[in-house]
């Protein structure tokens, strides 16, 4: 299967570099490349690509707004987004995750890293650079401690036991393939559980789902269950 990729935002030179980065990957095809953020959103609707690689500094509107309009659209449920940025400052990393992106990389990411990020988000996984992951761990979790009492139960009550298990494993860093192997179920079954959990918890990306699992206390609760005799 060939993954269809749209490049939105960034200068022509950036597009050329990205094109060269992925041209050696036989399973990736660049379907269009535009500097304008608004044009990128329009083409996402018209072309329905598998992945949109968004540069943070898109022309007209910034990459965060481009990601928000794509990831938040009910008409683009299968389109995933990867953000490229020159900085991993909090406002970019956290802003991107809040906008619904599934991947975040530095603009100068190595070719093999960008290719893997595209593949990962296309199959429903998240892919954050080490620096972006560090930002999330340092800034999000200390500020958003686990929910308590009724609040936690309210957030988690709609999840089935298997959905809780799958989300917990995703929050611990396992991808869908690893989860399917751990639970001895198909990759499609894992993806279905992830998608249903996202809908029930009202999040738009796997990265947001992982953050919510930590924030709500799901991982802590799961660890406690495993410790019981």
């Amino acid at each position: 299967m060939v993954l269809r990729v749209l490049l939105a935002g960034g200068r022509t030179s950036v597009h050329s570099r990205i094109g060269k980065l992925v041209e050696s990957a036989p399973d990736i095809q660049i379907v269009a490349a535009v500097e304008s953020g608004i044009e990128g959103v329009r083409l996402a609707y018209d072309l329905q690509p598998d992945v949109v690689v968004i540069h943070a500094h898109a022309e007209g509107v910034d990459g965060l707004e481009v990601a928000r309009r794509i990831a938040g659209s009910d008409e683009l449920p299968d389109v995933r987004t990867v953000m490229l940025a020159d900085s991993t400052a909090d406002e970019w990393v956290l802003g991107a995750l809040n906008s619904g992106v599934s991947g975040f990389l530095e603009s100068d990411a190595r070719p093999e890293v960008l290719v893997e990020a595209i593949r990962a988000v296309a199959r429903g996984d998240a892919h954050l650079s080490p620096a972006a992951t560090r930002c999330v761990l340092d800034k999000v979790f200390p500020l958003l401690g686990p929910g308590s009492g009724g609040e936690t139960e309210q957030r988690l009550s709609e999840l089935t036991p298997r959905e809780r298990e799958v989300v917990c494993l995703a929050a611990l860093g396992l991808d869908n393939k690893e989860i399917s192997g751990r639970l001895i179920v198909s990759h499609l079954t894992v993806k279905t559980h992830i998608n249903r959990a996202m809908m029930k918890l009202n999040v738009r990306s796997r990265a947001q789902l992982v953050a919510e699992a930590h924030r709500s206390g799901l991982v802590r609760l799961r660890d406690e269950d495993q410790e019981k005799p």
Side-chain angles (χ1 to χ4, degrees):
M1 175 183 174
V2 175
L3 300 177
R4 302 171 66 252
V5 176
L6 166 66
L7 306 181
R11 297 179 297 277
T12 301
S13 60
V14 174
H15 296 160
S16 176
R17 186 182 68 82
I18 293 175
K20 291 178 180 178
L21 290 180
V22 301
E23 66 181 1
S24 60
D27 58 334
I28 296 177
Q29 175 190 8
I30 305 297
V31 295
V34 292
E35 296 184 19
S36 166
I38 294 297
E39 183 68 5
V41 174
R42 186 188 70 78
L43 286 176
Y45 280 87
D46 290 347
L47 300 177
Q48 297 280 319
D50 298 297
V51 178
V52 182
V53 177
I54 305 167
H55 197 282
H57 302 292
E59 182 180 300
V61 296
D62 68 27
L64 298 180
E65 180 62 23
V66 174
R68 190 174 297 113
R69 295 188 187 187
I70 294 174
S73 173
D74 294 335
E75 298 179 47
L76 302 173
D78 298 320
V79 178
R80 303 289 184 257
T81 53
V82 175
M83 177 76 72
L84 297 179
D86 299 333
S87 168
T88 54
D90 297 354
E91 60 266 27
W92 285 113
V93 176
L94 303 184
L97 295 181
N98 285 329
S99 296
V101 304
S102 297
F104 188 100
L105 298 175
E106 290 82 357
S107 299
D108 60 354
R110 299 193 313 275
E112 61 272 21
V113 174
L114 179 57
V115 168
E116 178 52 37
I118 291 172
R119 290 171 177 161
V121 302
R123 64 177 178 257
D125 295 335
H127 191 108
L128 304 180
S129 71
T133 301
R134 185 75 263 164
C135 172
V136 173
L137 293 174
D138 288 346
K139 302 298 181 181
V140 176
F141 298 150
L143 295 177
L144 299 176
S148 58
E151 179 186 355
T152 298
E153 286 305 311
Q154 182 177 5
R155 287 181 177 276
L156 305 178
S157 62
E158 294 188 9
L159 297 182
T160 66
R162 181 45 65 96
E163 286 168 354
R164 289 189 180 209
E165 192 169 24
V166 169
V167 172
C168 179
L169 291 174
L172 292 174
L174 279 67
D175 62 24
N176 286 5
K177 182 178 179 180
E178 292 170 326
I179 295 172
S180 66
R182 177 77 65 89
L183 300 180
I184 316 178
V185 297
S186 71
H187 184 278
L188 180 59
T189 297
V190 173
K191 185 175 181 180
T192 298
H193 286 316
I194 290 288
N195 288 340
R196 287 177 177 172
M198 288 172 60
M199 291 179 61
K200 291 178 179 180
L201 296 178
N202 194 30
V203 297
R204 296 179 294 180
S205 72
R206 189 186 183 99
Q208 287 182 321
L209 181 66
V210 168
E212 177 65 10
H214 284 273
R215 198 213 69 79
S216 65
L218 177 60
V219 176
R220 177 177 55 82
L221 292 174
R222 181 65 187 171
D223 289 342
E224 291 175 354
D225 290 342
Q226 292 177 343
E227 291 174 0
K228 294 178 181 178

